[in-house]
């Protein structure tokens, strides 16, 4: 609504002076209004309070004149619903009927909506519905009977703005998640699915162009600013909250689509090839790391034959799943699950096997991942499901060679080593260490190719049971491939080392080496996650209270966080499509703003990865930005080179 973007159209309901509360703001009015919500809430007698609340909700539903307390009451109800979503009292007193009435007013009467504080009402009303239907199916049923779905659909259609769409799709997602209320939502199935798919694909562009990209705070929607920051906070806080809300809008849209995909409904719409590709880019970002976002929906689709058929036909989707399966992302197991489901289906197996084999073979020595045990064995069995017959159906020689190596490693070698005595294993251990030392020596003499040959020999000699030794050998060989500028080989060996590490994905040097290799290939998200896990390994192994984060790791994180910023694609489109739009004329100011946002996002991710203790050190590390003189840049270059050498020297 363009008319809502004009400053001064409304007065903020939020008091910017901290000591004031909502009750303080209406204290003078409470005694003059017999239906005052805040007075009724203080009533000590239960029956009188319940009777008063029921009357209050009815009055709010039918009064046609403007009442400034409506917004204050809804703000109070929002707080209560968020804090006590399972409390049945308001549900039994008609709160859903009240919210429906207010939503209908907001969506049908534009003049009423734009008067005074009424613009805030639809947001609060939809949020209250979503909170009370979040956990209990009984509440959801009462909400449906009260008629909440039609006005929520109006908000989802974009009748007001993206802020109201966010709370509408949240509430509809809760209603669609229950068997007893799903069909009521499904009455709008085709329209709802199309709207939600479009919202998931375009919401980041929408939030950026209508809010985050608007650098002049006088041109931003005032009521959006107030809702985002509760009336206090500047441009930086508004941007940070807008990013969080945009991510939630996308993730809740995907959650609603999941409700249909789980029941194999509207798969012909959801499996649109363009949308499947879009899903691969829906990461959720660091601000919403608790949601599996796009890959979560892709995995749901892989459980159905129709979904597998469509996913197997998209090379881009398959490659994204493959990269995820070899990452340290929390959703790594989802990528593996999808690939295994595609391989186990005889109708899709030979459509995908030539792509996914070259990735999954690096995971065959994986013992466990989260609560999944013997995952490597499952991968091996799936890859070798019809090994002898597959030789005649696979034309790619590299894939055939990879399957042959997997057969040798996991079948033939296991047979040979099964009868190997403890003494023989120890002899092999000594021999392997000798070869490794020779390879290290050759490496430092500068003959990297010869070092690779010697690491190959050591790996061929090393028994499968010596997982620690094999971890080091793979990791060292990965370092050689890095120096030869072969990122694919470095990723393969680093991944194998990380699968052998205990726990999985915990070998620090391999994480850093793979992060560098992913950076070479331009895979920013994978590089970022590995770098964060590398820092985690540094902080958990040190005994110092103040952890020193390597400078080169801080630089890598800064680089990749900028590349994976939630709005990076939207910003690129926005800049290209509207050159006259006032974004920022000062590149240095823009860089500083991005750096600050990256630090804030990193704070959240560090809390997730349990490395907040080292965060202050990272933030204090200097960054090379435009305008620094050559001496500073040269000192930074030397620090990076020294740090790299220290890492390599410990091979």
């Amino acid at each position: 609504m363009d008319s809502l973007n004009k400053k001064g159209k409304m007065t903020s309901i939020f008091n910017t002076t901290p000591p004031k509360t909502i009750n303080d703001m209406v204290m003078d009015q409470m005694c003059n209004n017999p239906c005052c919500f805040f007075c009724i809430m203080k009533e000590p007698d239960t029956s009188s309070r319940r009777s008063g609340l029921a009357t209050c909700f009815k009055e709010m539903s039918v009064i046609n004149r403007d009442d400034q307390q409506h917004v204050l009451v809804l703000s109070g109800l929002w707080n209560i619903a968020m804090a006590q979503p399972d409390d049945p009292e308001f549900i039994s007193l008609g709160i859903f009927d009240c919210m429906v009435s207010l939503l209908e007013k907001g969506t049908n009467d534009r003049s009423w909506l734009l008067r005074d504080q009424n613009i805030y009402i639809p947001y609060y009303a939809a949020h209250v519905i979503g909170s009370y239907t979040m956990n209990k199916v009984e509440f959801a049923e009462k909400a449906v009977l009260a008629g909440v779905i039609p006005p929520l659909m109006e908000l989802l259609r974009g009748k007001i703005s993206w802020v109201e769409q966010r709370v509408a799709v949240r509430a509809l997602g809760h209603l669609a998640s229950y068997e007893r209320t799903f069909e009521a939502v499904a009455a709008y199935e085709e329209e709802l699915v199309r709207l939600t798919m479009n919202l998931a694909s375009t919401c980041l562009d929408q939030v950026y162009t209508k809010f985050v990209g608007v650098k002049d705070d006088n041109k931003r929607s005032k009521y959006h600013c107030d809702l985002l920051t509760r009336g206090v906070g500047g441009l930086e806080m508004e941007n940070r909250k807008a990013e969080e809300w945009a991510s939630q809008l996308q993730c809740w849209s995907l959650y609603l689509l999941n409700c249909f995909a789980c029941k194999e409904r509207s798969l012909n719409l959801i499996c649109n090839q363009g949308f499947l590709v879009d899903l691969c880019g829906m990461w959720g970002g660091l601000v919403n790391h608790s949601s599996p976002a796009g890959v979560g929906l892709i995995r749901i689709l892989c459980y159905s034959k129709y979904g597998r058929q469509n996913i197997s036909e998209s090379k881009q989707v398959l490659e994204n799943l493959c990269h995820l399966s070899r990452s340290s992302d929390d959703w790594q197991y989802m990528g593996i699950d999808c690939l295994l489901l595609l391989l186990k289906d005889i109708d899709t197996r030979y459509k995908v096997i030539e792509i996914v084999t070259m990735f999954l073979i690096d995971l065959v020595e994986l013992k466990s991942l989260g609560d999944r045990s013997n995952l490597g064995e499952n991968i091996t069995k799936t890859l070798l499901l019809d090994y002898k017959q597959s030789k005649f159906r696979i034309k790619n020689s590299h894939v055939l060679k990879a399957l042959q190596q997997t057969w040798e490693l996991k079948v033939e070698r296991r047979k040979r080593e099964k009868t190997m005595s403890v003494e023989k294993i120890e002899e092999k251990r000594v021999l392997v260490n000798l070869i490794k030392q020779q390879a290290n020596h050759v490496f430092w003499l500068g003959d990297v190719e010869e070092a690779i040959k010697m690491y190959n020999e050591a790996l061929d000699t090393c028994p499968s049971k010596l997982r620690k030794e094999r971890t080091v050998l793979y990791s060292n060989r990965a370092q050689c491939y890095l120096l030869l500028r072969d990122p694919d080989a470095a990723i393969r060996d680093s991944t194998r080392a990380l699968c052998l590490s205990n726990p999985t994905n915990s070998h620090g040097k391999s994480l850093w080496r793979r992060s560098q290799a992913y950076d070479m290939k331009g895979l920013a998200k994978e590089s970022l996650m590995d770098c964060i896990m590398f820092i985690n390994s540094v902080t958990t192994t040190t005994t110092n209270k103040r952890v020193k984060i390597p400078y080169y790791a801080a630089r890598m994180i800064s680089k990749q966080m900028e590349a994976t910023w939630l709005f990076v694609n939207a910003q690129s489109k926005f800049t290209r499509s509207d050159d006259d739009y006032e974004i920022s004329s000062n590149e240095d100011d823009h860089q500083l703003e991005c750096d600050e946002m990256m630090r804030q996002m990193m704070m959240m991710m560090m809390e997730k990865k349990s490395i907040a203790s080292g965060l202050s050190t990272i933030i204090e590390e200097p960054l090379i930005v435009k305008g620094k003189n050559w001496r500073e840049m040269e000192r930074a270059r030397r620090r990076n080179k020294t740090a790299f050498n220290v890492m390599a020297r410990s091979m």
Side-chain angles (χ1 to χ4, degrees):
M1 296 177 61
D2 295 335
S3 61
L4 301 182
N5 293 332
K6 297 178 181 179
K7 192 174 181 180
K9 191 74 177 177
M10 61 208 71
T11 306
S12 172
I13 64 169
F14 303 107
N15 193 330
T16 56
T17 52
K20 283 280 188 178
T21 64
I22 293 175
N23 286 347
D24 294 330
M25 288 190 285
V26 297
M27 189 62 72
D28 295 334
Q29 301 175 14
M30 288 193 302
C31 297
N32 299 325
N33 185 354
C35 294
C36 174
F37 173 79
F38 300 99
C39 288
I40 295 169
M41 286 297 292
K42 292 183 177 181
E43 173 61 51
D45 182 68
T46 303
S47 60
S48 298
R49 181 165 59 84
R50 286 178 58 82
S51 175
L53 286 171
T55 303
C56 177
F57 291 150
K58 282 185 180 179
E59 290 291 320
M60 289 178 65
S61 300
V62 299
I63 289 178
N64 292 319
R65 64 180 177 82
D66 292 324
D67 190 336
Q68 291 302 300
Q69 270 204 33
H70 280 9
V71 179
L72 296 172
V73 171
L74 281 170
S75 181
L77 288 172
W78 170 81
N79 277 291
I80 294 170
M82 289 286 287
Q84 304 170 41
D86 299 335
D87 189 339
E89 182 176 34
F90 288 173
I91 310 301
S92 63
L93 298 177
I95 192 171
F96 287 135
D97 294 297
C98 178
M99 297 302 105
V100 168
S101 177
L102 293 172
L103 282 176
E104 288 175 345
K105 284 183 184 179
T107 55
N108 296 327
D109 189 342
R110 186 179 177 83
S111 62
W112 176 86
L113 181 69
L114 297 179
R115 198 176 305 136
D116 300 317
Q117 310 288 325
N118 294 342
I119 188 61
Y120 297 92
I121 289 177
Y123 170 84
Y124 280 121
H127 207 302
V128 168
I129 292 170
S131 295
Y132 278 122
T133 56
M134 183 166 50
N135 299 326
K136 290 186 173 291
V137 65
E138 312 89 73
F139 294 179
E141 287 181 300
K142 290 186 177 180
V144 169
L145 290 174
V148 301
I149 295 178
L152 288 175
M153 284 296 299
E154 284 293 288
L155 296 183
L156 187 66
R157 293 179 184 115
K159 192 70 175 283
I160 303 180
S161 77
W162 65 271
V163 168
E164 289 76 22
Q165 283 178 309
R166 169 181 170 268
V167 287
V169 75
R170 169 179 176 258
L172 288 167
H174 294 327
L175 294 173
S177 66
Y178 301 112
E179 288 289 339
R180 282 145 60 177
T181 54
F182 173 79
E183 289 301 331
V185 179
Y188 300 85
E189 183 170 353
E190 183 174 351
E191 182 193 12
L192 186 146
V193 169
R194 290 186 185 278
L195 285 171
T196 309
M197 287 170 58
N198 181 66
L199 189 58
S201 297
T202 63
C203 62
L204 300 186
D205 292 348
Q206 184 181 2
V207 175
Y208 185 85
T209 55
K210 294 184 178 179
F211 194 84
V212 178
V214 183
K215 301 303 178 184
D216 185 351
D217 59 353
N218 291 320
K219 295 181 179 179
R220 289 187 169 187
S221 171
K222 184 66 171 63
Y223 91 100
H224 283 179
C225 296
D226 287 340
L227 288 173
L228 284 163
T229 65
R230 310 301 298 153
V232 292
L235 200 66
E236 179 190 330
M237 183 181 291
E238 289 173 7
N239 286 344
R240 193 162 64 247
K241 289 296 293 182
E243 182 175 358
E244 180 183 340
W245 282 22
S247 177
Q248 290 173 354
L249 174 55
Q250 187 176 73
C251 291
W252 279 329
S253 298
L254 294 174
Y255 179 78
L256 180 53
L257 292 174
N258 270 323
C259 294
F260 286 88
C262 285
K263 294 177 170 57
E264 298 191 21
R265 301 275 290 261
S266 294
L267 294 187
N268 61 318
L269 299 177
I270 299 172
C271 289
N272 173 277
Q273 287 296 315
F275 183 65
L276 291 178
V277 172
D278 287 345
L279 285 177
C280 297
M282 296 180 193
W283 177 30
L286 301 186
V287 294
N288 201 14
H289 53 72
S290 61
S291 170
V295 68
L297 180 53
I298 290 175
R299 185 175 69 152
I300 293 296
L301 295 174
C302 282
Y303 284 121
S304 69
K305 197 167 191 67
Y306 186 86
R308 290 193 297 271
Q309 188 68 33
N310 283 270
I311 289 170
S312 68
E313 294 171 358
S314 175
K315 183 178 179 181
Q316 189 171 343
V317 174
L318 291 175
E319 287 178 346
N320 274 276
L321 291 173
C322 289
H323 290 312
L324 177 62
S325 70
R326 290 196 312 185
S327 74
S328 53
D329 192 291
D330 285 348
W331 313 118
Q332 177 188 4
Y333 72 90
M334 288 195 175
I336 296 173
D337 285 352
C338 292
L339 297 179
L340 293 180
L341 287 167
L342 291 167
L343 283 173
K344 290 176 180 178
D345 186 341
I346 193 62
D347 293 327
T348 57
R349 178 177 178 81
Y350 290 98
K351 290 183 179 180
V352 305
I353 194 167
E354 293 192 6
I355 296 176
V356 305
T357 296
M358 302 308 293
F359 292 83
L360 287 181
I361 57 168
D362 299 331
L363 305 173
V364 294
E365 294 192 84
L366 187 63
K367 273 198 169 180
S368 62
L369 193 62
D371 59 353
R372 286 165 167 74
S373 59
N374 299 319
L375 193 53
E377 293 298 318
N378 191 10
I379 293 171
T380 302
K381 289 177 182 178
T382 305
L383 285 174
L384 302 177
L385 193 60
D386 52 355
Y387 174 60
K388 294 182 179 179
Q389 291 82 358
S390 65
K391 292 179 181 179
F392 305 102
R393 300 190 63 174
I394 298 174
K395 306 301 181 184
N396 190 311
S397 59
H398 297 291
V399 174
L400 287 172
K401 184 179 178 181
L403 290 172
Q404 183 179 351
Q405 289 173 346
T406 304
W407 178 270
E408 170 63 26
L409 175 67
K410 299 295 288 182
V411 180
E412 299 296 336
R413 177 181 282 203
R414 182 175 292 179
K415 289 179 182 178
R416 293 196 302 269
E417 294 177 359
K418 193 172 183 180
T419 58
M420 192 178 291
S421 65
V422 176
E423 292 78 10
K424 187 66 174 178
I425 292 176
E426 283 303 311
E427 287 179 16
K428 293 276 188 181
R429 188 198 302 271
V430 173
L431 180 58
V432 166
N433 284 332
L434 286 173
I435 300 173
K436 185 189 75 171
Q437 290 173 13
Q438 291 173 356
N440 290 351
H441 179 68
V442 171
F443 173 85
W444 283 110
L445 291 176
D447 194 345
V448 179
E449 289 86 352
E450 183 62 27
I452 289 175
K453 292 179 182 178
M454 299 185 76
Y455 287 129
N456 291 342
E457 181 185 352
L459 282 165
D460 290 339
T461 306
C462 188
S464 301
K465 293 180 180 180
L466 302 181
R467 296 177 67 87
K468 185 175 180 181
E469 286 76 4
R470 293 176 66 80
T471 299
V472 175
L473 291 170
Y474 276 126
S475 187
N476 287 2
R477 195 170 69 175
Q479 178 64 48
C480 295
Y481 285 127
L482 271 178
L483 295 178
L484 294 177
R485 308 295 295 178
D486 186 348
D488 290 312
I491 291 169
R492 285 197 300 270
D493 278 353
S494 298
T495 301
R496 293 176 182 187
L498 290 165
C499 289
L500 289 164
S501 62
N502 186 25
T504 304
N505 295 332
S506 63
H507 191 248
K509 294 174 190 175
S510 298
L511 286 164
W512 172 242
R513 288 161 184 167
R514 194 170 67 174
S515 177
Q516 292 174 283
Y518 275 134
D519 181 48
M520 288 182 189
K521 288 180 66 66
L523 297 171
K525 186 184 79 169
E526 288 77 8
S527 177
L528 173 62
M529 299 305 294
D530 279 350
C531 196
I532 290 174
M533 290 296 288
F534 163 66
I535 294 174
N536 187 30
S537 70
V538 171
T539 59
T540 54
T541 56
T542 184
T543 56
N544 298 329
K545 289 184 178 179
R546 181 172 175 79
V547 179
K548 183 66 175 177
I549 302 300
Y551 177 84
Y552 52 85
R555 287 285 297 156
M556 180 71 83
I557 287 223
S558 179
K559 174 184 178 181
Q560 305 302 5
M561 290 184 79
E562 185 170 353
T564 57
W565 184 41
L566 192 69
F567 294 117
V568 67
N569 291 329
Q571 183 186 45
S572 176
K573 294 177 188 175
F574 189 45
T575 305
R576 288 198 307 267
S577 63
D578 193 359
D579 294 334
D580 296 329
Y581 199 91
E582 184 180 359
I583 298 176
S584 176
S585 60
N586 190 311
E587 290 186 2
D588 289 334
D589 289 345
H590 174 68
Q591 179 65 42
L592 291 173
E593 182 180 338
C594 285
D595 287 342
E596 182 59 32
M597 188 169 291
M598 298 308 163
R599 290 184 176 89
Q600 294 295 337
M601 289 194 298
M602 193 160 139
M603 175 75 76
M604 289 180 279
M605 180 55 77
M606 294 302 165
E607 291 173 357
K608 177 190 176 188
K609 295 295 184 183
S610 303
I611 55 177
S613 59
L615 179 60
S616 59
T617 310
I618 299 175
I619 294 177
E620 291 169 5
E621 290 286 359
L623 297 175
I624 299 176
V625 295
K626 295 178 182 178
K628 286 198 172 185
N629 61 45
W630 69 270
R631 284 192 175 87
E632 292 180 76
M633 296 182 70
E634 178 62 17
R635 283 198 294 270
R637 185 189 67 77
R638 288 174 180 171
R639 282 198 298 271
N640 279 323
K641 183 177 180 182
T642 301
F644 183 86
N645 288 340
V646 169
M647 286 293 294
R649 194 172 295 118
S650 60
M651 293 171 66

